[in-house]
Amino acid sequence: PGMLSNLSKLLPRLEHAPGIAAAAGTAGAATFVASQLPSQLHISAIPVSIVLGAAAGNAAPSAVTAAIKPGLSYATSNILRTGIVCVGAKLSAAQILALGWTTVPAAACSVGAGVTIIPMLAARFGLAPRLGALLACGTSICGVTAISAVAPAIAATQA
C-alpha cells in the first residue's frame, strides 16, 4: 500500500484536467505566436508562454483560477519535471564531447560559479536565501525551467 499510495500521488486525477488543459492550450498558443515572430528576435515559445499565462491568470475570473489551480500545480511539478528529464536524456556524451573537450569543464565552472556567487550577491542585497537559490539556478542552468523545478525542492513560496 505504501508504494501504491506514493504512485497515485504522481498520476493525474480528474480534478487536474482543467488546469492541464489550460497549460497545454497556453503552450500551444505560445508555440504558434513564437513561430510568427521575426526569426531575428530569437524568442522561443517559453517566454511567450509565460507572458500569455500571466496575462490569462490576471484576466481570468477567480472561479476559473480556482478551477484550474490543481491542474496547473500538477503541470508545473510532475509534468515539467518529466519534461526536464526527457530533454536532459536527449543530450548524449558524444554530443557534448563533439563540442570539444573543454566544454565540460567550462560548463561546470560556469554553473559552479553561478550557484556559488549569485546566492552571495542575493544575500548582500537583502534578498531571501530561497530567492537567491532560485536566481542562481535560473541564471546558471536554464532559466525558468530550472526555477520551476527547483522551487518545490527548496519549498519556495510567493511571499
Side-chain angles (χ1 to χ4, degrees):
M3 184 182 224
L4 287 178
S5 66
N6 286 339
L7 181 60
S8 69
K9 292 177 186 174
L10 298 176
L11 299 175
R13 296 188 305 267
L14 188 57
E15 71 183 25
H16 294 141
I20 292 172
T26 302
T31 301
F32 173 75
V33 170
S35 73
Q36 301 305 305
L37 296 173
S39 61
Q40 303 91 315
L41 295 177
H42 302 287
I43 297 176
S44 75
I46 294 172
V48 175
S49 185
I50 293 167
V51 171
L52 290 177
N58 284 308
S62 59
V64 172
T65 304
I68 64 174
K69 187 174 182 174
L72 288 178
S73 294
Y74 182 82
T76 58
S77 59
N78 296 19
I79 295 174
L80 179 65
R81 288 182 193 148
T82 302
I84 292 168
V85 168
C86 290
V87 168
K90 244 178 32 173
L91 288 175
S92 70
Q95 289 172 317
I96 293 170
L97 293 176
L99 297 172
W101 70 270
T102 58
T103 302
V104 174
C109 289
S110 175
V111 170
V115 297
T116 303
I117 295 168
I118 292 172
M120 291 188 298
L121 287 172
R124 183 168 177 92
F125 286 100
L127 299 177
R130 289 180 182 161
L131 179 57
L134 291 177
L135 291 171
C137 290
T139 303
S140 305
I141 301 170
C142 63
V144 72
T145 308
I147 291 171
S148 299
V150 171
I154 64 169
T157 62
Q158 293 182 358

